[in-house]
């Protein structure tokens, strides 16, 4: 007996050292050493019972011939009347931990002869597993009693059994470590699971601001009064700090150890700050960037209702309506409407149909322009699976795969097929212009492969434009994000600061008939000589109004003017095609309705008809020598004149377009510009290009006579 006691003390001491090493690896922010670990009080009886029932539903089942421990089929009776968020989290964490070590815990129970020597009812097997995990995690120390809760007989019975086998259980645990050559049972887990737990220990907490109830500045002020300081990054900081996310302006980041403290403040109690994973905020912000003021949204597989509320808050100032599908049970409506009312969300409409059963031409969805698709995925990019399951209302069966660090090929195939079917169905909505596809998976089969396959096999037989892959609409805040987004997908890999996130944006291709105006089509046709003898369209009403406000001058006939302008446009186009991009055609001041060869010139002259563009075909006065040299440097760039260089109508002369004569009324006198003085230059044949210039008399500059000497040798199609 004495040797057994010494062995137990030795094993207990050794186990304490091992667990301390695990704590040093997993929780660097916590106090290291066996003293902290020895103070773990254990859980309440109701948490044990709730965890046992959860474990019963997610445990790994073995074949009957290999199963030495039999589990019952009926859950244990629970005495807990109300389960708050903290209670549920504790129960799920305990059940998930027992699930990860199920094989080891079962082998310890068999090696210590608890099974099958003792007559334990099958319905208590799940309770034994979860309590054994907590027992070894406390280094087989007694649980501190709780005075505030009534004890449960099943828990008391199992606890007495484990205490009676304490020595044998400790010895079995030691032999298990030796067998696997591991410092502790933590090192027996797969490497992917161990990395996942390590990331979860440092993963910060994300919360978005409900701007329907409070402004960001008010939140910052409130937190500052509570002792929180605003910093750039919360990583590896133990103080009370927070930071603003770089991708989402309304998302705050807190260190993970502050979550319990944050839950007690009024901001979270009053739904002014909402805890949620960042991946969901990235999804709703991507949708917001694609919306117009009156566009509706269809949300599919939203999971958490907080995602719907966040989308509603972002579109609060718009006239958009948010449709949420997949809520088949109408008895949930009062609770959901009550929740949305508390959060200040008013533009949400619930559809009691599964997404795949909704007709793409449903009259309620005719204004829907964007679909947010959050399909059910493997979730292997999530560092804290329990938080993900609880917050996003995901299926607890995912915990089986997450506890093993992988997923079977059969289950992966089922998930990818569901994702593909939902994405293809979203593409059939004729009024929708964009689809946002988001997952938390690290598998290419669930991300890029699904999107590429859907784009390849989308229906091209309809009259609507097909979808194409579009670049991310979120800001790329690092070189790593830019590298990961080179193929137009937005990715965030699992790290110590974020969970995994995959985002893909699909938008319809633009209709070519909508991107080119009628004026552009006519200008291109005229430039190619396809409108020979056909009169171009008349000037717009806006241009006519502007011309009426100018000085009335005699006009040539409409047919002659249109024909002349068409020929000029054709000539200038030919010149541009010959890589002579210098001069632009000067627009005659009001006599003719001007048509341009390029849309840009048309819009510019329609807005400012009083300004002319330089042309080597019309004689006028010159700028000084420096201005002329500047003009020569910029002649190929069609630079718009400065506002102060006001263009002035010149004295009409005979231009180099014989035999056409343009009868302008005689004008005399000198007009002054805003920042320079101008004078009329005597009309001379074949002078230099027309540009606004200060008075040449005070600078002694003589106009060059031989600049356009080569012009007569150019073809003149109007002859």
């Amino acid at each position: 007996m004495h040797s057994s006691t010494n062995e137990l003390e030795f094993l207990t001491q050794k186990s304490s050292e091992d667990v301390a090493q695990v704590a040093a690896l997993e929780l660097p922010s916590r106090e290291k050493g066996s003293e902290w670990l020895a103070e773990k009080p254990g859980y309440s009886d109701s948490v044990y019972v709730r965890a046992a029932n959860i474990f019963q539903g997610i445990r790994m089942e073995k074949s009957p011939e290999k199963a030495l421990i039999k589990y019952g089929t009926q859950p244990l009776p629970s005495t807990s009347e109300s389960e708050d968020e903290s209670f549920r989290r504790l129960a799920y964490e305990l059940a998930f931990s027992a699930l990860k070590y199920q094989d080891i815990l079962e082998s310890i129970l068999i090696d210590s002869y608890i099974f099958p020597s003792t007559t334990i009812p099958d319905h208590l097997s799940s309770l034994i597993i979860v309590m054994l995990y907590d027992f070894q995690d406390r280094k087989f120390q007694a649980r501190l009693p709780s005075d505030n809760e009534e004890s449960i007989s099943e828990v008391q019975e199992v606890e007495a059994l484990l205490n009676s086998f304490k020595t044998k259980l400790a010895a079995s645990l030691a032999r298990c470590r030796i067998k696997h050559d591991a410092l502790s049972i933590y090192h027996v887990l797969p490497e992917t699971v161990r990395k996942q737990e390590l990331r979860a220990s440092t993963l910060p907490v994300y919360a978005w601001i409900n701007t329907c109830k409070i402004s960001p500045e008010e939140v910052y002020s409130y937190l500052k009064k509570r002792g929180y300081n605003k910093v750039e990054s919360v990583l590896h900081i133990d103080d009370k700090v927070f930071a603003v996310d770089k991708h989402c302006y309304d998302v705050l980041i807190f260190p993970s150890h502050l979550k319990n403290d944050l839950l007690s403040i009024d901001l979270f109690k009053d739904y002014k700050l909402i805890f949620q994973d960042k991946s969901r905020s990235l999804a709703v912000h991507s949708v917001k960037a694609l919306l117009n003021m009156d566009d509706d949204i269809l949300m599919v597989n939203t999971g958490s209702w907080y995602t719907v509320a966040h989308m509603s808050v972002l579109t609060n100032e718009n006239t958009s309506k948010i449709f949420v599908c997949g809520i088949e049970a109408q008895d949930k409506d009062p609770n959901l409407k009550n929740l949305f009312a508390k959060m200040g969300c008013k533009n949400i409409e619930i559809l009691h149909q599964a997404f795949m059963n909704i007709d793409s031409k449903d009259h309620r969805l005719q204004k829907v322009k964007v679909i947010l698709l959050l399909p059910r995925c493997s979730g292997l990019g999530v560092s804290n699976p329990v938080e993900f399951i609880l917050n996003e209302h995901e299926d607890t069966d995912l915990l089986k795969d997450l506890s093993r660090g992988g997923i079977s090929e059969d289950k992966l195939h089922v998930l990818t097929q569901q994702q593909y079917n939902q994405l293809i169905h979203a593409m059939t909505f004729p009024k929708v212009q964009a689809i946002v596809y988001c997952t938390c998976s690290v598998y290419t089969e669930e991300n890029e492969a699904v999107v590429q396959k859907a784009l390849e096999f989308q229906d091209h037989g309809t009259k609507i434009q097909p979808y194409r892959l579009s670049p991310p609409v979120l800001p790329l805040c690092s070189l790593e994000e830019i590298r990961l987004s080179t193929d137009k997908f937005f990715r965030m890999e699992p790290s110590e600061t974020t969970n995994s996130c995959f985002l893909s944006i699909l938008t319809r291709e633009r209709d070519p008939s909508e991107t080119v105006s009628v004026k552009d089509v006519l200008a291109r046709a005229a430039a190619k000589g396809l409108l020979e003898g056909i009169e171009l369209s008349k000037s717009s009403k806006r241009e006519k109004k502007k011309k009426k406000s100018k000085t009335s001058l005699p006009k040539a006939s409409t047919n002659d003017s249109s024909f002349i302008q068409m020929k000029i446009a054709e000539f200038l186009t030919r010149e541009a095609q010959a890589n002579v991009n210098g001069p632009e055609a000067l627009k005659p001041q009001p006599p003719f309705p001007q048509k341009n060869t390029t849309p840009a010139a048309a819009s510019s002259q329609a807005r400012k008809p009083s300004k002319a563009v330089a042309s080597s075909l019309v004689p006028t006065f010159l700028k000084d020598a420096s201005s002329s040299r500047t003009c020569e440097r910029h002649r190929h760039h069609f630079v718009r004149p400065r506002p102060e260089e006001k263009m002035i109508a010149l004295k009409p002369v005979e231009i180099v377009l014989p035999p056409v004569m343009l009868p302008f009324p005689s004008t005399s006198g000198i007009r002054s510009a805003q920042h320079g003085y101008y004078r009329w230059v005597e009309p001379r044949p074949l002078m230099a290009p027309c540009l606004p210039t200060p008075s040449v008399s005070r600078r002694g500059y003589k106009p060059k006579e031989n600049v356009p000497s080569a012009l007569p040798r150019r073809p003149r199609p109007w002859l």
Side-chain angles (χ1 to χ4, degrees):
M1 183 67 182
H2 180 69
S3 61
S4 299
T5 305
N6 292 338
E7 180 184 3
L8 175 61
E9 292 177 355
F10 170 77
L11 292 174
T12 303
Q13 181 179 2
K14 185 66 176 175
S15 178
S16 175
E17 295 174 358
D18 294 339
V19 178
Q21 292 176 1
V22 175
L25 290 173
E26 290 186 298
L27 303 173
S29 63
R30 292 181 179 177
E31 181 183 355
K32 300 177 182 180
S34 59
E35 292 78 12
W36 176 82
L37 293 169
E39 295 177 356
K40 294 187 67 175
Y43 299 94
S44 63
D45 290 9
S46 58
V47 171
Y48 284 128
V49 172
R50 183 73 174 100
N53 291 334
I54 296 172
F55 178 81
Q56 176 69 23
I58 64 176
R59 63 181 176 83
M60 302 295 295
E61 297 183 2
K62 299 180 180 180
S63 58
E65 60 273 8
K66 295 182 179 180
L68 298 178
I69 299 178
K70 297 181 180 180
Y71 295 89
T73 58
Q74 298 297 326
L76 295 173
S78 177
T79 59
S80 178
E81 297 180 357
S82 61
E83 296 182 358
D84 57 10
E85 182 179 355
S86 177
F87 178 88
R88 295 177 63 244
R89 182 177 290 105
L90 290 175
Y92 270 92
E93 287 176 350
L94 179 57
F96 182 63
S97 298
L99 179 64
K100 288 186 292 185
Y101 297 100
Q102 179 180 346
D103 293 338
I104 298 175
L105 295 174
E106 287 180 350
S107 64
I108 291 175
L109 290 173
I110 295 171
D111 187 62
S112 61
Y113 297 103
I114 292 182
F115 285 98
S117 60
T118 58
T119 56
I120 302 176
D122 293 344
H123 70 279
L124 294 181
S125 298
S126 297
L127 183 60
I128 292 176
I129 291 292
V130 297
M131 292 189 68
L132 175 59
Y133 170 79
D134 181 57
F135 195 32
Q136 66 82 30
D137 195 36
R138 289 186 280 115
K139 299 183 301 180
F140 301 100
Q141 299 298 313
R143 179 171 62 114
L144 298 178
S146 176
D147 300 332
N148 300 328
E149 186 182 23
E150 183 179 354
S151 62
I152 300 176
S153 59
E154 289 85 354
V155 175
Q156 300 298 321
E157 179 183 353
V158 171
E159 187 173 27
L161 175 65
L162 295 177
N163 282 325
S164 65
F165 279 83
K166 179 169 60 175
T167 303
K168 293 182 178 181
L169 290 172
S172 298
L173 178 61
R175 287 191 291 269
C176 180
R177 288 181 12 242
I178 295 172
K179 177 181 177 180
H180 292 89
D181 192 20
L183 292 175
S184 67
I185 61 174
Y186 166 78
H187 294 89
V188 180
L189 295 175
E191 183 180 0
T192 54
V193 178
R194 284 187 277 130
K195 289 182 178 180
Q196 183 187 70
E197 290 188 0
L198 189 60
R199 292 195 306 265
S201 64
T202 61
L203 189 68
V205 178
Y206 292 86
W208 54 270
I209 302 173
N210 185 355
T211 53
C212 288
K213 305 189 72 173
I214 193 172
S215 66
E217 291 73 18
E218 291 174 329
V219 173
Y220 304 156
S221 177
Y222 181 92
L223 292 174
K224 187 175 181 180
K225 293 179 181 178
R226 294 292 299 259
Y228 289 83
N229 297 318
K230 186 178 179 181
V231 296
E232 291 296 325
S233 174
V234 300
L235 190 62
H236 304 308
I237 299 180
D238 295 336
D239 298 332
K240 298 175 69 173
V241 295
F242 71 94
V244 180
D245 186 70
K246 296 180 180 179
H247 296 98
C248 308
Y249 61 87
D250 61 342
V251 174
L252 302 184
I253 314 172
F254 300 90
S256 57
H257 67 274
L258 295 177
K259 185 166 186 178
N260 291 333
D261 180 65
L262 292 170
L263 288 172
S264 62
I265 65 177
D266 294 336
L267 289 178
F268 289 90
K269 293 180 180 179
D270 299 337
Y271 296 102
K272 296 177 180 178
L273 271 180
I274 312 295
F275 284 127
Q276 194 168 26
D277 185 63
K278 181 180 175 179
S279 62
R280 297 310 190 234
S281 297
L282 292 172
V284 296
H285 273 272
S286 297
V287 174
K288 178 63 169 64
L290 299 169
L291 289 176
N292 293 320
M293 288 296 293
D294 57 346
D295 292 345
D296 290 346
I297 308 159
L298 178 61
M299 303 185 68
V300 184
N301 296 337
T302 55
S304 173
W305 304 121
Y306 291 155
T307 307
V308 181
H310 196 181
M311 189 77 261
S312 175
V313 169
L314 290 179
T315 58
N316 183 51
E317 297 180 356
N318 301 1
T319 58
S320 302
K321 183 179 293 185
I322 301 172
F323 294 93
V324 186
C325 61
I327 307 175
E328 299 182 6
Q330 298 188 12
D331 56 351
K332 295 183 179 180
D333 281 5
N335 296 333
L336 292 178
K337 291 180 179 179
N338 184 36
L339 173 64
F340 294 147
K342 290 181 179 178
M343 301 182 71
C345 304
K346 302 177 181 179
N347 58 344
I348 300 173
E349 183 171 334
I350 299 174
L351 304 179
H352 299 286
Q353 291 174 274
F355 176 62
M356 298 300 295
N357 297 331
I358 297 179
D359 186 9
S360 60
K361 297 181 180 180
D362 193 309
H363 68 279
R364 297 169 296 181
L365 308 178
Q366 293 308 300
K367 291 183 63 178
V368 170
K369 300 300 181 183
V370 183
I371 293 179
L372 174 56
L373 183 58
L374 301 168
R376 180 158 295 174
C377 65
S378 62
L380 288 178
V382 177
S383 299
N384 193 332
V386 172
E387 291 285 346
F388 179 73
I389 295 295
L390 293 178
N391 294 337
E392 301 304 322
H393 304 292
E394 291 289 345
D395 189 1
T396 55
D397 286 341
L398 291 176
L399 293 176
K400 292 182 181 180
D401 303 313
L402 298 175
S403 66
R404 296 295 186 265
I407 188 173
S408 64
E409 292 185 2
D410 294 339
K411 192 167 187 177
L412 181 61
H413 176 72
V414 172
L415 287 174
T416 54
Q417 189 62 38
Q418 292 176 354
Q419 295 156 0
Y420 170 76
N421 292 338
Q422 290 181 353
L423 186 54
I424 285 292
H425 185 57
M427 290 180 172
T428 62
F429 286 75
K431 300 295 184 179
V432 173
Q433 298 299 314
I435 301 172
V436 178
Y437 178 89
C438 179
T439 74
C440 296
S441 175
V442 295
Y443 287 127
T444 304
E445 292 85 347
E446 296 184 88
N447 299 333
E448 296 90 343
V450 170
V451 175
Q452 296 292 359
K453 183 180 178 181
L455 289 174
E456 181 181 356
F457 291 99
Q458 62 178 313
D459 186 9
H460 294 279
T462 59
K463 297 181 180 180
I464 57 178
Q465 293 296 96
Y467 280 94
R468 64 179 177 181
L469 194 61
S470 296
V473 294
L474 297 170
L476 302 178
C477 303
S478 66
L479 294 177
E480 181 67 13
E481 292 180 5
I482 296 176
R483 182 186 67 82
L484 294 173
S485 303
T486 52
D487 52 357
K488 296 185 179 180
F489 295 114
F490 182 88
R491 299 183 185 88
M492 293 185 67
E493 296 182 342
S495 66
E496 59 184 357
T497 58
T498 59
N499 288 322
S500 174
C501 179
F502 173 84
L503 268 173
S504 176
I505 297 177
L506 308 179
T507 57
R508 290 198 187 275
E509 297 180 2
R510 290 186 178 274
D511 190 346
S513 62
E514 296 179 358
T515 58
V516 182
S517 64
V518 176
K519 184 180 293 185
D520 296 339
V521 174
L522 292 176
R524 292 177 184 177
K528 294 180 180 180
L530 302 178
L531 301 181
E532 189 71 25
I534 301 177
E535 182 180 357
L536 296 178
S537 60
K538 297 182 179 180
S539 302
S540 63
K541 295 181 179 180
R542 182 179 178 183
E543 192 173 0
K544 289 181 178 179
K545 290 181 180 179
K546 288 187 176 181
K547 290 181 179 180
K548 287 182 180 179
S549 62
K550 301 296 180 180
T551 305
S552 176
L553 295 176
K555 299 182 180 180
S557 63
T558 305
N559 294 336
D560 293 341
S561 301
S562 300
F563 182 79
I564 292 171
Q565 295 306 315
M566 183 184 68
K567 290 300 184 180
I568 293 175
E570 181 180 357
F571 171 75
L572 292 178
T573 304
R574 290 178 182 175
E575 291 295 307
Q577 292 175 351
N579 294 327
V580 182
N581 299 325
E584 289 185 14
L586 176 66
K587 177 182 175 182
Q589 194 54 16
F592 305 108
Q594 179 72 19
K595 294 291 179 181
N596 297 285
T597 58
T598 61
S603 61
S604 174
Q605 294 187 6
R607 291 191 302 269
K608 300 181 180 180
S610 64
K611 292 192 176 183
V613 184
S615 174
S616 61
L617 303 178
V618 183
T620 183
F621 53 89
L622 297 173
K623 250 190 176 180
D624 57 5
S626 60
S627 300
S628 299
R629 289 192 295 269
T630 304
C631 170
E632 290 296 325
R633 287 195 302 269
H634 295 284
R635 186 171 293 178
H636 295 282
H637 300 286
F638 303 99
V639 180
R640 181 180 295 178
R642 296 180 181 177
E644 61 269 22
E645 297 174 347
K646 198 168 185 179
M647 307 303 291
I648 303 173
L650 303 183
K651 182 178 179 180
V653 295
E654 181 179 354
I655 63 176
V656 288
L657 299 175
V660 179
M661 300 296 293
L662 304 178
F664 288 77
S666 60
T667 310
S668 61
I670 300 175
R671 295 166 62 184
S672 60
Q674 185 175 356
H675 296 290
Y677 298 93
Y678 300 83
R679 69 180 180 84
W680 296 112
V681 177
E682 291 294 332
R684 299 178 183 180
L686 303 177
M687 284 192 63
C690 164
L691 285 176
T693 177
S695 176
V696 297
S697 61
R698 54 193 179 92
R699 299 201 178 192
Y701 181 82
K702 296 181 178 181
K704 295 182 180 181
E705 301 286 336
N706 302 324
V707 174
S709 60
L711 289 177
R713 292 194 294 271
R714 296 181 179 177
R716 293 181 291 176
W718 50 82
L719 296 180

